[in-house]
Amino acid sequence: MKHWFLPLIAGLLAALPIAAVAAPVDRAGLVAKLCGDAGQMGEAGTALASIAATGDDADRTWAAALPRAAIDRKLACDEAGAVLTEGGLDAVTRAPREAQGTPRSPLLSLKNRPVFELADAAFALRTAPNAGQRAAALKILERRPALIPEGLLERAAQAEADAGLKAQIENLAQSAALNASDPAARIRAIGRVAENTNRRTLTQLTALKNDPAYGADAGFRQAVDAGISRVERGIAIGDVMATLYNGLSFASILFMAAIGLAIIFGLMGVINLAQGELIMIGAYVTWLVQQGLRSVAPGLLDWYLILAIPAAFLVTAAIGIALEAALLRHLYKRPLMSLLATWAVSLFLVNLVRVIFGTQNLQFETPFYVTGGVPVIGDFIFTWNRMFAILFAVVTLALTWLVVRKTPLGLNIRAVTQNRDMAACIGIPTRRVDMMAFGLGSGLAGLAGLALSPIYSVNPQMGQNFIIDSFMVVVLGGVGTIAGTVVAALGIGQINVLIEPLWGAVAAKVIVLLMIIGFLQWRPEGLFAVKGRRK
């Protein structure tokens, strides 16, 4: 007797909470409140939200239409109860019937309307068949996390099939739990919320310091303080990582802009003021490739950044070779004239592009591989467009190093750079080397324009923003050295990103320039000097 009786008692006790959750809804009473005064309507709205959270399937199906009917005034109250005018159904029994006598539509007060909107969104989150409708309902619930009934989001998350939407529901559940009635549940929610170390979480937790429980409950106060400390540490680490990442991406762009200039300046001593415009032309060639793919092969449109690489390099290299052959070859012994000539070419290219394409920014498609990013810690997001620029710079560095160190052209360039007369004496065609080196440097500028197109605004003036920084990189690194260009780009890029948030972009450039001037007073040849430069 004893052995079978105890399990029966235990089973009955375990079933009590379920029975409490699944208690039948007084449907007639609820509809009567919907037709009552403002206070009764408020009670009905709260009851509807509770049904959405804890009611069984039959009650949720029955009640789902009521909040929307009340909001849209499609509930006709009469002597027999109420009728849903959309469909002509009795609000209690859902049997078809006409409204009796002179029905009236209850009007929601400003106080009750948010309660009914929240109840309507709660039903949509749990019963809408479309994920988009459920996501829209979740957006409404996010506006009033303190009013969300307990258990709604947990049950919605359990039933949600869409992984992304489920994660959003769980995040909102954590935020809503901060306002739970159970102190232990609030403390657990603080621990879970503090795992998301960002400034939004910090604002949420800091607001809890004004909660009465913060002064009355030592455990609650300790949990809030620990959560805030954890989030602040995460934000600080994220800010450091974001600074390093942004500095690295800026350095990669500086390197891309400066490596071509370093080759041209290092070999021929020509200060090419048109280098920025060659960068701009590389970006415009990329845009033309995108437009061509849009017309001819729309299926390959996402890959235009990859397919434009040879086009951007060859077009700008051809322009560089033509410029060297037609103009600069006559001015090698007159550096001031070559400076003025490249400046004139720069102005010509800018105005030519203005006439052909206009002055507005070009619109680029954003391929899937440079879209979005991955949140890491704090507010630091590992963005794919900056990673594309970094990887592109690394590949360009490797290929440039291979060309300069492992090919006959690179060997000739190094020979002419170190001693032009001796190189000519042993049969190296110095004129052809000059032309090919200028073409190589110009082609690298075109690749820089391609790498910039997913990040910066592309317009005829874009090249002028990089020419000063490029010269600073070349001079600081040591004219004509790849290693010096890499180190100088990394240094200037990181210092710029560190100083800009403190004193602004203009002050950052002035400070960096003063630092470079000071460094060159101590080491005029730059970080990596080339031995035996051409006379």
Side-chain angles (χ1 to χ4, degrees):
M1 178 70 178
K2 182 179 180 181
H3 293 292
W4 67 266
F5 182 76
L6 291 178
L8 177 61
I9 295 296
L12 290 173
L13 291 174
L16 282 177
I18 299 174
V21 171
V25 174
D26 179 9
R27 300 183 178 183
L30 181 58
V31 171
K33 288 183 177 179
L34 284 173
C35 294
D37 56 22
Q40 291 175 319
M41 290 191 71
E43 293 175 8
T46 305
L48 287 171
S50 178
I51 293 171
T54 60
D56 58 24
D57 291 343
D59 285 336
R60 283 203 308 274
T61 304
W62 172 79
L66 295 176
R68 179 48 53 187
I71 293 170
D72 296 340
R73 303 196 69 186
K74 293 182 178 178
L75 188 69
C77 298
D78 58 7
E79 294 84 356
V83 174
L84 296 171
T85 57
E86 187 173 342
L89 300 175
D90 186 276
V92 178
T93 64
R94 300 301 161 87
R97 77 172 178 87
E98 296 290 335
Q100 300 176 10
T102 306
R104 65 177 181 85
S105 295
L107 178 63
L108 285 176
S109 64
L110 292 177
K111 180 180 178 181
N112 287 336
R113 176 170 285 274
V115 179
F116 277 77
E117 289 177 346
L118 185 135
D120 184 51
F123 280 114
L125 184 66
R126 298 209 61 187
T127 61
N130 184 279
Q133 294 173 330
R134 297 196 296 275
L138 187 64
K139 294 290 183 186
I140 296 174
L141 294 173
E142 284 176 347
R143 299 173 194 164
R144 302 178 183 91
L147 298 180
I148 297 175
E150 292 183 23
L152 171 69
L153 297 172
E154 288 78 3
R155 290 177 174 82
Q158 290 174 0
E160 182 56 56
D162 186 286
L165 185 55
K166 183 174 183 176
Q168 294 179 31
I169 295 173
E170 289 173 344
N171 288 336
L172 181 58
Q174 293 175 1
S175 301
L178 294 176
N179 301 300
S181 57
D182 182 9
R186 298 186 75 186
I187 292 175
R188 288 196 300 273
I190 290 170
R192 291 195 298 270
V193 168
E195 294 175 0
N196 299 319
T197 52
N198 54 54
R199 285 180 169 79
R200 182 182 178 186
T201 302
L202 182 62
T203 302
Q204 282 182 312
L205 295 181
T206 304
L208 292 178
K209 285 188 172 182
N210 299 322
D211 194 286
Y214 185 79
D217 187 341
F220 183 82
R221 181 170 58 253
Q222 186 177 2
V224 171
D225 292 340
I228 290 175
S229 299
R230 181 178 180 181
V231 173
E232 287 178 338
R233 282 197 302 272
I235 290 175
I237 295 172
D239 288 347
V240 171
M241 294 180 68
T243 301
L244 293 175
Y245 185 61
N246 292 337
L248 184 60
S249 65
F250 185 55
S252 67
I253 292 167
L254 279 182
F255 168 78
M256 292 290 299
I259 185 62
L261 191 65
I263 291 175
I264 294 173
F265 196 17
L267 174 62
M268 292 171 284
V270 174
I271 300 175
N272 182 19
L273 291 182
Q275 191 75 5
E277 280 58 49
L278 292 173
I279 294 173
M280 176 264 293
I281 288 175
Y284 272 79
V285 170
T286 305
W287 181 78
L288 289 174
V289 171
Q290 172 197 265
Q291 297 303 99
L293 288 175
R294 191 194 302 277
S295 303
V296 178
L300 298 175
L301 187 59
D302 265 349
W303 301 103
Y304 75 90
L305 282 175
I306 309 300
L307 297 175
I309 290 175
F313 180 84
L314 293 175
V315 169
T316 50
I319 293 174
I321 290 173
L323 176 63
E324 196 277 341
L327 187 63
L328 292 176
R329 60 178 294 190
H330 306 292
L331 304 173
Y332 283 148
K333 294 183 180 179
R334 290 181 286 176
L336 180 59
M337 291 302 296
S338 67
L339 182 70
L340 293 175
T342 55
W343 184 36
V345 171
S346 161
L347 296 176
F348 172 77
L349 292 176
V350 169
N351 286 288
L352 182 64
V353 172
R354 280 177 179 166
V355 170
I356 297 175
F357 297 97
T359 58
Q360 71 282 3
N361 291 333
L362 297 184
Q363 299 297 319
F364 281 83
E365 293 289 334
T366 305
F368 66 90
Y369 47 84
V370 293
T371 302
V374 178
V376 180
I377 186 172
D379 293 322
F380 171 52
I381 298 177
F382 191 86
T383 52
W384 298 121
N385 57 351
R386 292 189 179 276
M387 178 48 59
F388 175 81
I390 293 170
L391 292 178
F392 196 77
V394 171
V395 173
T396 303
L397 170 63
L399 293 177
T400 305
W401 184 85
L402 284 174
V403 169
V404 173
R405 291 290 175 181
K406 301 295 181 181
T407 65
L409 174 62
L411 181 63
N412 291 342
I413 289 175
R414 285 184 286 132
V416 174
T417 301
Q418 292 179 6
N419 194 315
R420 170 179 288 272
D421 295 334
M422 184 60 71
C425 290
I426 62 175
I428 294 176
T430 55
R431 273 291 307 124
R432 184 185 300 170
V433 171
D434 288 342
M435 190 167 56
M436 296 304 293
F438 206 97
L440 176 62
S442 302
L444 291 172
L447 294 182
L450 183 146
L452 287 170
S453 58
I455 302 175
Y456 285 87
S457 300
V458 175
N459 53 55
Q461 290 78 33
M462 66 172 290
Q464 298 171 6
N465 299 327
F466 295 96
I467 190 67
I468 302 297
D469 288 333
S470 300
F471 272 111
M472 287 197 294
V473 169
V474 172
V475 173
L476 179 63
V479 178
T481 65
I482 296 177
T485 306
V486 173
V487 174
L490 285 172
I492 292 176
Q494 290 292 354
I495 292 172
N496 256 302
V497 172
L498 285 173
I499 295 177
E500 269 191 24
L502 300 176
W503 293 295
V506 176
K509 287 192 180 301
V510 172
I511 292 172
V512 170
L513 182 59
L514 292 176
M515 292 171 67
I516 292 174
I517 291 173
F519 179 81
L520 293 178
Q521 296 300 311
W522 170 62
R523 193 175 172 87
E525 67 275 15
L527 291 169
F528 296 83
V530 175
K531 296 179 180 178
R533 185 171 300 285
R534 174 178 66 88
K535 304 295 182 183

